[in-house]
Amino acid sequence: MRVLGIETSCDETGVALYDSERGLLSDALYSQVKMHAEYGGVVPELASRDHVRKLLPLIREVMAKAELELKDLDAVAYTSGPGLIGALMVGASTGRALALGLGVPAIAVHHMEGHLLAPMLEDNPPAFPFVALLVSGGHTQLVSVKGIGQYELMGESLDDAAGEAFDKAAKMLGLDYPGGPLIAKLAEQGTPGRYRFPRPMTDRPGLDFSFSGLKTFTLNTANAERDENGQIDAQTMADIAFAFEEAVVETLAIKCRRALQQTGMKQLVIAGGVSANKRLRERLDEVVRKEKSGLFYARPEFCTDNGAMIAYAGCQRLLAGQQADLTIIARPRWPMDTLESI
């Protein structure tokens, strides 16, 4: 089955073609980062308009790369939520209309299920069951995964997601948007031990997260180091970035270890944009070795939003006989534990 995947939940337009027998045939991605950087964050209306401009050209590009035509498609998968309502509507309406015009099935895909299943696109994919850490700009969740659609939420952030905390901490240091990768790069030059930031909610039982207090601590530390001109010297900025990143990474690692111990599972999957963080991967690799478990994640380009994960997730549900009706639905909020299991 050849499935076209469409992702437009936020500020990346992703399209990919997945074949159930041959694997990923082609993919393309357009990022709006430069446009939104001017405003210090994603502007929803601008994101929607850019998806309108870029989606059809990307579909043509993906089909050309695979040396196939639209009539060769067996189905279309599109992100239905969660995400920005306008951006979602662009992908959902295009995907549903395309499927209707071609006379093929369509499937509405949950964005975070796409992230969760992205490591399945790798040569050495995880097997069910496993613990998944979904960590991105909008979500930080620990999920027990026993199969596709068989999800149990074990813990989540009570306030900001980890990725959002990275971006806000970067803004406090005067770094551009998106700040997460810039914080990580700056932290590589940091001095270990100069600062120690708190590890929120690790001194109590449970698997929930909280990063708002860590942001406040970062802001207070940065303000205390500013000179009379409001500037922070380069090494101090790097040291603050290092301490912040270590606090987030260590907090995530502690909770992941608890989740593995509580469930008795031997596989840990990390997915979402922050799963590309080099220090997080290193620290979680230490955790799984101690727990005699395995660590799985997608290649960096499939950690952020992309069409390949939507095409794969949609293909699995279509193969199980699921498909969408003619209704075009965009779901800004959509709990993953409400999904149908297959």
Side-chain angles (χ1 to χ4, degrees):
M1 175 180 281
R2 298 190 189 103
V3 180
L4 184 73
I6 296 173
E7 157 61 28
T8 62
S9 65
C10 190
D11 62 339
E12 268 117 8
T13 313
V15 180
L17 183 58
Y18 181 83
D19 189 301
S20 57
E21 296 182 359
R22 297 167 55 196
L24 185 65
L25 301 182
S26 61
D27 70 282
L29 181 73
Y30 176 78
S31 175
Q32 304 173 3
V33 164
K34 290 184 180 179
M35 177 178 68
H36 296 293
E38 179 181 351
Y39 304 96
V42 177
V43 181
E45 179 60 28
L46 294 181
S48 304
R49 292 179 184 180
D50 223 34
H51 287 311
V52 171
R53 285 192 289 266
K54 300 297 182 181
L55 186 52
L56 291 180
L58 284 179
I59 291 174
R60 298 189 188 100
E61 178 183 337
V62 163
M63 299 306 298
K65 283 181 180 179
E67 299 182 347
L68 294 171
E69 298 180 8
L70 290 175
K71 64 181 178 61
D72 298 315
L73 293 175
D74 296 306
V76 178
Y78 56 88
T79 300
S80 180
L84 301 176
I85 182 65
L88 290 169
M89 283 299 297
V90 176
S93 57
T94 302
R96 194 65 198 83
L98 183 59
L100 180 63
L102 295 172
V104 299
I107 187 73
V109 175
H110 191 289
H111 178 74
M112 295 310 295
E113 180 173 73
H115 275 303
L116 187 150
L117 297 177
M120 298 294 186
L121 293 164
E122 302 303 316
D123 294 335
N124 180 33
F128 300 111
F130 55 77
V131 170
L133 172 66
L134 299 176
V135 57
S136 66
H139 298 80
T140 301
Q141 299 176 329
L142 274 167
V143 183
S144 169
V145 181
K146 295 182 180 178
I148 296 178
Q150 299 178 46
Y151 310 130
E152 178 187 352
L153 180 63
M154 297 186 293
E156 62 183 337
S157 179
L158 303 179
D159 39 59
D160 291 349
E164 183 181 5
F166 264 100
D167 286 341
K168 289 181 177 178
K171 190 173 183 179
M172 295 171 192
L173 295 176
L175 301 177
D176 292 334
Y177 172 87
L182 298 179
I183 281 275
K185 184 175 180 180
L186 186 61
E188 293 177 0
Q189 310 301 319
T191 305
R194 180 177 175 184
Y195 302 103
R196 178 175 172 79
F197 285 14
R199 276 61 170 159
M201 296 185 69
T202 58
D203 58 349
R204 66 188 77 174
L207 296 173
D208 286 331
F209 304 89
S210 173
F211 295 104
S212 61
L214 181 58
K215 287 190 313 176
T216 302
F217 194 95
T218 303
L219 179 62
N220 291 339
T221 302
N223 287 340
E225 296 291 354
R226 297 185 189 281
D227 60 23
E228 60 274 13
N229 297 315
Q231 302 300 309
I232 306 174
D233 70 81
Q235 186 57 54
T236 297
M237 284 183 61
D239 294 345
I240 293 173
F242 178 90
F244 172 82
E245 182 181 55
E246 283 297 295
V248 174
V249 165
E250 185 64 19
T251 298
L252 295 173
I254 290 170
K255 297 301 179 92
C256 283
R257 186 173 187 181
R258 285 183 189 174
L260 289 171
Q261 292 173 342
Q262 289 181 20
T263 61
M265 294 181 183
K266 295 300 181 183
Q267 297 183 104
L268 175 64
V269 167
I270 55 173
V274 183
S275 68
N277 182 279
K278 180 181 177 181
R279 180 59 188 138
L280 177 61
R281 292 186 176 191
E282 292 174 347
R283 184 65 186 89
L284 290 180
D285 188 58
E286 297 172 8
V287 169
V288 297
R289 279 191 276 112
K290 289 180 181 178
E291 296 299 318
K292 297 181 180 179
S293 305
L295 179 64
F296 300 86
Y297 43 76
R299 69 198 78 168
E301 60 265 34
F302 291 160
C303 290
T304 54
D305 296 349
N306 63 89
M309 68 183 191
I310 302 304
Y312 177 84
C315 183
Q316 304 314 303
R317 290 193 169 273
L318 286 159
L319 288 172
Q322 298 181 15
Q323 58 179 281
D325 59 22
L326 293 177
T327 306
I328 299 173
I329 300 178
R331 305 172 175 90
R333 298 184 183 276
W334 188 8
M336 199 165 66
D337 57 7
T338 64
L339 296 178
E340 184 179 350
S341 64
I342 62 174

